[in-house]
Amino acid sequence: MFSTVHLPEPNDYFELFISYVGSPDFIYFQLRDYKVDLDRLMDELEIFYNSTHSSAYEMRESLYIIGQPCAAIFPEDSNWHRVVITGLPNLDFIHVFFVDYGGSCSVTRSNCRMLKAQFMKLPMMASLGKLAAIMPADGKQWARATKDYLLNLVTEKPLIGMISEITKENVASLFICDTSSNSDVYIHNLLVDKGYAVHDATSDSTSQIQTAVGDVTQYTANMSISMDEEEILSLYTDEVEAGGEGPHHVRYAQLTSQCSLNIVNYKGSPYVVSADISALLWESDRLRTMLRNKKLNFPKTVLSNDDFPALFDEFKLHRVKGIVEDDGSEIVKTHVTLYDLKCVPLILEAFSHPCPELKSAVLNEIHAFDSSDPYWTGVQSESVETSNAGVVEEPEPMYCELGIDELQLRLNALLFRRCALS
């Protein structure tokens, strides 16, 4: 069986993601500290079970027993997940629980596989929780609209959590704070203000509310990022070096003053890494989970460092979000998920991105992409080489075309990229 993740001590703050919402009394959450490990695991599952090795791991009939760990495709995102069998309704379907994201559903037996031992090592990432110090407004059951409202509050946002207690049923009673705006807001208070909940005067957690509100500001303040001039210059120098002689696999594209992408030339078509798309919408790489929550499915490709070392070397040079360390010193992901650039406008629209200029800029990049461009091929056209024959030109200063305003805009954009790496 899977081991369980070690949760923070009660009254300690930690960063978390909400991966499943049933009601305020039934949520699953993930610790952000394990994000890189979980992303790596999900990529490895995709590569292995979509390979020719998958057929050798088809489930034998004797393995279809309740409590059996295995791998299965989640119907709504077509991704492979780690699951545990929880029911055997008939000969065609089984009921499973998704150990890393929470939630259950029925899946076809043909979409199940035995789980390799290496995929059992990571503890199951989904921990069961509930919102502390509140109860349904009528004192009995949660209104149907509560789930949708709560789901809207906790997705697409950075969250800070604090466990007030672990119940005897092993459920973490949580205070969850939304820190995405200038004022920190507690989720349970928003449910009360909306009329979906009331404060539970009998709860032992109620006395902790004032302490929690006072402490979260100090916690978030310690998470701030600073850069000195030397770091900025180093980041800018890396950008210049990345544009040297080709051929190239990755090109940095500044879309707006605060938004950018690294366009990947894969098999002659433009792609974008999952983390880059996420950075346009959220504080971390949550694209896979967010698409799953909205029941959206876009074509994707998973590549490994072993198969594409030159590509990953360029990821390192460009300091691509979510793939390398913040300082560009080390590659931290051995696999990367790519989405077709043509999908990006649809994803931005699906999650209601507020900037129409961004969508327009992405469309421009789609139309402008040319896999035969010398940047990608590293080969100058014959006409250009002929016209320059016998001409010796003085090298121009690298920054001769950039005025003070342009340099400041460029540095602001680089700062934004650096902060988004965190």
Side-chain angles (χ1 to χ4, degrees):
M1 285 297 294
F2 299 102
S3 61
T4 57
V5 69
H6 178 70
L7 295 177
E9 294 295 323
N11 302 321
D12 286 345
Y13 281 102
F14 59 96
E15 298 171 74
L16 77 159
F17 301 118
I18 303 300
S19 57
Y20 179 87
V21 173
S23 74
D25 286 337
F26 190 76
I27 61 177
Y28 281 96
F29 64 97
Q30 302 165 333
L31 303 183
R32 186 172 181 176
D33 287 347
Y34 286 89
K35 178 185 177 303
V36 171
D37 294 331
L38 179 57
D39 286 347
R40 181 183 296 115
L41 170 68
M42 296 301 294
D43 289 341
E44 291 174 350
L45 289 172
E46 286 293 299
I47 289 176
F48 181 80
Y49 289 109
N50 286 321
S51 72
T52 56
H53 301 292
S54 180
S55 59
Y57 283 77
E58 291 181 358
M59 297 275 287
R60 299 190 301 272
E61 187 63 33
S62 61
L63 293 177
Y64 285 108
I65 57 176
I66 293 177
Q68 174 68 44
C70 57
I73 293 178
F74 182 56
E76 293 176 4
D77 67 7
S78 299
N79 290 328
W80 287 95
H81 292 259
R82 300 191 302 173
V83 301
V84 169
I85 298 176
T86 57
L88 303 167
N90 54 52
L91 295 178
D92 297 320
F93 288 85
I94 61 173
H95 203 66
V96 299
F97 170 73
F98 294 85
V99 300
D100 296 313
Y101 290 87
S104 303
C105 76
S106 293
V107 298
T108 62
R109 297 192 180 204
S110 61
N111 284 337
C112 296
R113 296 290 185 271
M114 292 184 291
L115 198 63
K116 287 190 69 177
Q118 71 183 75
F119 300 141
M120 293 283 293
K121 295 178 181 178
L122 188 69
M124 58 183 188
M125 293 288 97
S127 298
L128 183 59
K130 57 175 289 188
L131 292 184
I134 58 171
M135 58 188 297
D138 65 1
K140 298 179 181 178
Q141 62 182 9
W142 297 104
R144 289 187 177 182
T146 309
K147 174 183 176 179
D148 292 336
Y149 182 67
L150 177 57
L151 188 63
N152 183 61
L153 292 177
V154 299
T155 55
E156 308 180 26
K157 296 177 181 178
L159 298 171
I160 303 297
M162 185 189 80
I163 297 175
S164 65
E165 64 174 339
I166 304 292
T167 69
K168 61 182 180 180
E169 294 83 12
N170 205 32
V171 178
S173 186
L174 294 164
F175 290 109
I176 300 176
C177 183
D178 173 11
T179 62
S180 61
S181 61
N182 292 332
S183 300
D184 298 333
V185 180
Y186 276 85
I187 302 302
H188 67 280
N189 285 336
L190 295 177
L191 290 174
V192 172
D193 293 343
K194 194 70 174 179
Y196 292 125
V198 294
H199 291 295
D200 185 0
T202 64
S203 171
D204 293 336
S205 303
T206 304
S207 62
Q208 296 176 283
I209 295 178
Q210 293 301 323
T211 300
V213 171
D215 290 346
V216 71
T217 301
Q218 180 61 41
Y219 177 85
T220 55
N222 293 335
M223 296 166 57
S224 62
I225 299 174
S226 62
M227 290 181 67
D228 57 27
E229 294 180 359
E230 184 176 349
E231 288 180 294
I232 295 174
L233 180 59
S234 172
L235 185 56
Y236 192 89
T237 301
D238 287 347
E239 293 292 333
V240 174
E241 291 176 351
E245 296 182 359
H248 295 290
H249 303 89
V250 182
R251 180 174 65 80
Y252 174 74
Q254 187 68 46
L255 303 176
T256 68
S257 61
Q258 290 190 325
C259 296
S260 63
L261 287 175
N262 291 283
I263 297 176
V264 180
N265 183 0
Y266 176 64
K267 293 186 176 181
S269 297
Y271 284 79
V272 186
V273 301
S274 172
D276 260 355
I277 302 175
S278 291
L280 301 176
L281 295 158
W282 310 291
E283 294 295 319
S284 59
D285 188 5
R286 302 294 293 155
L287 184 59
R288 190 198 306 269
T289 299
M290 300 310 302
L291 291 176
R292 183 173 183 263
N293 289 342
K294 281 188 174 288
K295 301 180 181 179
L296 297 174
N297 184 23
F298 291 100
K300 58 186 179 297
T301 299
V302 181
L303 306 181
S304 70
N305 190 359
D306 291 339
D307 294 333
F308 297 90
L311 174 61
F312 276 75
D313 286 344
E314 285 196 46
F315 285 153
K316 182 177 180 180
L317 186 59
H318 283 265
R319 301 187 181 188
V320 175
K321 303 176 185 70
I323 300 176
V324 300
E325 294 282 5
D326 291 355
D327 60 3
S329 62
E330 182 181 354
I331 296 175
V332 296
K333 290 192 69 174
T334 58
H335 301 81
V336 63
T337 301
L338 300 180
Y339 288 85
D340 194 312
L341 184 61
K342 295 176 183 177
C343 297
V344 175
L346 300 176
I347 294 173
L348 294 175
E349 185 174 344
F351 294 101
S352 304
H353 194 285
C355 179
E357 292 82 5
L358 176 59
K359 181 179 178 181
S360 177
V362 174
L363 290 173
N364 289 337
E365 291 291 340
I366 294 172
H367 296 315
F369 180 82
D370 180 5
S371 60
S372 64
D373 187 282
Y375 176 86
W376 300 116
T377 63
V379 179
Q380 290 287 344
S381 65
E382 184 177 345
S383 60
V384 173
E385 292 176 352
T386 302
S387 65
N388 290 335
V391 178
V392 179
E393 296 182 352
E394 290 293 327
E396 295 184 1
M398 186 170 295
Y399 308 121
C400 65
E401 298 294 331
L402 297 180
I404 296 299
D405 293 339
E406 289 85 355
L407 280 172
Q408 186 59 53
L409 181 64
R410 181 66 166 167
L411 288 175
N412 288 342
L414 292 174
L415 279 170
F416 180 83
R417 290 184 67 211
R418 178 62 175 268
C419 290
L421 288 171
S422 64

